[in-house]
Amino acid sequence: MPAIADRNSSSFKEIVAAIKSDKSGDIAGSNGCCIPQKRRLRSDAAAARESPVSTPMKLKSPRRRLNSSPNSPANGIKEDFSEKPVKKNWNPRDVEHMRAVKEALHVSTAPSTIVCREDEQKRVLEFCKACIEQEKAGSLYACGCPGTGKSLSMDKVKQQVIDWATKQEDLQPLEVLALNCTSLANTSEIFSKILGKHQPRKKTMGSTSPLQHLQKLYSNNQARAGSKMMLIIADELDYLITKDRAVLHDLFMLTTFPFSRCILIGIANSIDLADRFLPRLQSLNCKPMVVTFRAYSKDQILSILQERLLVLPYIVFQQQALELCARKVAAASGDMRKALCVCRSAMEILEAELRESASNLSLASVEEFISQQTAPALEIFQSEENNTVRIDHMALALSKTFRSPIVDTIQSLPQHQQIILCSAVKFFRGGKKDSTVGELNKSYIDICKSAMIPPVGILEFSSMCRVLNDQGLFKLGQSRDDKSKRVTLKVDEADISFALQGVRFFRNCLQ
């Protein structure tokens, strides 16, 4: 008896193709075998003999005859779909499909459209245009936490500035120097890079440093004549921080010299650096513009993920899975790179799950599918539910990324203590910061009744609240009466939602 290795084998694909094809036509495999046609009805054969047309005409199924008619409504529907194509389900077993999705979600892949950073890009672009038009030096400090789109936005603005400058006939061509400070051998090498852009064929001689050459160059009016404006984009500016911050100070001060032609854009992860460093520059008449990139919100992360997935012709993630990823990452850090890594991890979890299920597939089940040749059998292979990244895949990927002792503690609690936490989350969503044990008990009873779970008595409920207090999840106040004790939730709501997201009852309760 022949054996089928897995779902990616040629034999298995032929079986699936046979099930999907029209039963009224011939089904041929790659090896030349075919499945016989259905038996033709006598009425069809008689109609063929009585036809006045001399040439034999091949009969079509009713569905095919309908689609071939130029005036049939089916053609109208087909044309509508051609104008607005509907995304099909993807096949995670297909190597090309998997590669395309991973590439779309890779951190190094720059999307064609950068969403949720339009205001920041507009401010930087207008700043650069004003400096170029006025032929005036200037400096800008872009700061924000990692993964907030700083470098991506500056790359976009750089290209926009170059495109705009080339269209201006009355302006000289723009020199551009974009560098990452982590690639510098030492902090002072940045001045050599700038000087090399100004004087590519001239080497510094003697004891004069590249910084001194630049200072002399920007103090000379004759050197200004005929020189081009230079846009300098220094990414990872944090690596230039020294004990006395002399390099940063000298770098920004280059824009204050009377004949300076450079536009400096510094990109850094340190927001507090601006508070400590910029006042010193301002006292020396150097006032950089500050553009702060705030952490992404849940809605922004969701929009960026959906924008990246638009390039794919198929559906990969369930909407609830993307929303869970955006909510958790926004609550943790707002780092978009982290969200992309979590989505790729969830895909790998689905991929491993499919490999395991394929290895467990027996020949008997395949033969049963062939004998049935029905749509439900095909749906077992290519069900949208089985082929998309579900919310449980995303929850597992998030747990690997944001694993914390609090999540482990919540997941290890007994069911009724978890219900108490859910009731506290729902109760405090209205804006209340604390409540009494008695009021919380009423919310707990309502949840139990909705799920037809017998609630515990008030004494046992108070005892479980004390246990949650000992574990640091609750904070209980002092009172002689247990019902009158004030109770406060000591953990973040997102941690509770994330810990219990894998159970449908709690997921519905917290939505």
Side-chain angles (χ1 to χ4, degrees), residues 334-482:
D335 188 340
M336 190 61 218
R337 294 178 300 185
K338 188 76 71 177
L340 293 174
C341 291
V342 169
C343 289
R344 286 167 59 89
S345 177
M347 285 179 49
E348 292 170 357
I349 293 172
L350 170 63
E351 191 177 14
E353 179 184 278
L354 292 175
R355 281 199 303 266
E356 182 179 358
S357 63
S359 63
N360 295 332
L361 185 64
S362 63
L363 180 62
S365 61
V366 176
E367 291 178 343
E368 182 180 355
F369 293 149
I370 299 173
S371 61
Q372 292 177 355
Q373 294 188 13
T374 57
L378 180 62
E379 291 175 358
I380 295 178
F381 286 109
Q382 296 182 333
S383 168
E384 178 184 357
E385 185 71 18
N386 293 335
N387 286 353
T388 54
V389 179
R390 304 187 303 271
I391 194 169
D392 54 322
H393 299 137
M394 190 65 71
L396 183 57
L398 286 166
S399 66
K400 292 180 179 180
T401 306
F402 297 102
R403 201 68 183 178
S404 68
I406 295 176
V407 172
D408 292 336
T409 301
I410 296 173
Q411 290 179 341
S412 63
L413 291 174
Q415 183 187 45
H416 280 275
Q417 293 184 24
Q418 292 175 342
I419 296 176
I420 293 175
L421 286 177
C422 286
S423 62
V425 169
K426 295 189 68 175
F427 193 80
F428 293 138
R429 277 178 180 171
K432 292 185 178 182
K433 295 183 178 180
D434 62 353
S435 180
T436 63
V437 172
E439 292 175 343
L440 185 61
N441 182 52
K442 295 179 181 178
S443 176
Y444 158 79
I445 292 175
D446 292 339
I447 293 178
C448 289
K449 287 183 178 179
S450 65
M452 294 184 292
I453 298 175
V456 300
I458 185 61
L459 293 178
E460 189 174 354
F461 180 84
S462 301
S463 177
M464 287 190 292
C465 287
R466 286 194 295 271
V467 172
L468 294 174
N469 176 77
D470 295 339
Q471 292 181 334
L473 305 177
F474 274 1
K475 180 181 179 181
L476 287 178
Q478 299 294 329
S479 178
R480 292 182 178 179
D481 185 13
D482 286 343

Side-chain angles (χ1 to χ4, degrees), residues 153-441:
S153 297
M154 293 305 109
D155 286 341
K156 184 75 173 179
V157 171
K158 180 188 71 174
Q159 191 59 48
Q160 290 175 341
V161 171
I162 294 173
D163 295 341
W164 172 81
T166 53
K167 296 178 182 178
Q168 308 302 313
E169 298 180 355
D170 55 338
L171 296 178
Q172 290 185 350
L174 179 68
E175 291 280 1
V176 178
L177 174 62
L179 53 88
N180 191 306
C181 296
T182 59
S183 63
L184 300 176
N186 56 72
T187 56
S188 300
E189 190 184 357
I190 189 171
F191 301 116
S192 301
K193 298 284 187 181
I194 299 173
L195 183 60
K197 200 71 176 177
H198 274 295
Q199 302 172 344
R201 299 180 181 178
K202 186 176 180 180
K203 296 183 179 181
T204 57
M205 302 296 292
S207 60
T208 306
S209 67
L211 173 61
Q212 292 173 333
H213 272 282
L214 289 172
Q215 292 172 342
K216 183 179 179 180
L217 182 66
Y218 293 154
S219 301
N220 188 354
N221 188 18
Q222 294 180 353
R224 176 187 177 93
S227 62
K228 302 177 182 178
M229 293 292 294
M230 178 184 293
L231 175 62
I232 304 171
I233 301 178
D235 200 357
E236 303 291 351
L237 204 65
D238 311 74
Y239 283 84
L240 299 183
I241 299 176
T242 56
K243 188 174 182 180
D244 57 357
R245 298 188 181 89
V247 176
L248 278 178
H249 173 268
D250 293 334
L251 179 62
F252 277 89
M253 288 301 295
L254 287 177
T255 62
T256 63
F257 281 78
F259 305 110
S260 175
R261 305 280 285 173
C262 65
I263 306 168
L264 174 63
I265 298 179
I267 309 170
N269 294 326
S270 301
I271 298 177
D272 57 342
L273 178 63
D275 299 332
R276 300 193 310 266
F277 174 64
L278 294 183
R280 178 184 172 186
L281 290 176
Q282 292 173 353
S283 65
L284 299 173
N285 201 28
C286 179
K287 300 178 180 179
M289 174 186 287
V290 179
V291 178
T292 303
F293 286 71
R294 302 294 179 187
Y296 285 115
S297 65
K298 182 200 74 172
D299 294 336
Q300 289 175 329
I301 293 176
L302 184 60
S303 298
I304 295 172
L305 290 175
Q306 292 172 337
E307 184 72 23
R308 282 180 173 259
L309 294 172
L310 277 178
V311 301
L312 302 173
Y314 29 75
I315 300 173
V316 181
F317 293 85
Q318 284 185 350
Q319 181 67 16
Q320 296 88 339
L322 292 177
E323 291 174 356
L324 174 62
C325 175
R327 184 165 59 251
K328 180 59 183 178
V329 173
S333 61
D335 188 340
M336 190 61 218
R337 294 178 300 185
K338 188 76 71 177
L340 293 174
C341 291
V342 169
C343 289
R344 286 167 59 89
S345 177
M347 285 179 49
E348 292 170 357
I349 293 172
L350 170 63
E351 191 177 14
E353 179 184 278
L354 292 175
R355 281 199 303 266
E356 182 179 358
S357 63
S359 63
N360 295 332
L361 185 64
S362 63
L363 180 62
S365 61
V366 176
E367 291 178 343
E368 182 180 355
F369 293 149
I370 299 173
S371 61
Q372 292 177 355
Q373 294 188 13
T374 57
L378 180 62
E379 291 175 358
I380 295 178
F381 286 109
Q382 296 182 333
S383 168
E384 178 184 357
E385 185 71 18
N386 293 335
N387 286 353
T388 54
V389 179
R390 304 187 303 271
I391 194 169
D392 54 322
H393 299 137
M394 190 65 71
L396 183 57
L398 286 166
S399 66
K400 292 180 179 180
T401 306
F402 297 102
R403 201 68 183 178
S404 68
I406 295 176
V407 172
D408 292 336
T409 301
I410 296 173
Q411 290 179 341
S412 63
L413 291 174
Q415 183 187 45
H416 280 275
Q417 293 184 24
Q418 292 175 342
I419 296 176
I420 293 175
L421 286 177
C422 286
S423 62
V425 169
K426 295 189 68 175
F427 193 80
F428 293 138
R429 277 178 180 171
K432 292 185 178 182
K433 295 183 178 180
D434 62 353
S435 180
T436 63
V437 172
E439 292 175 343
L440 185 61
N441 182 52

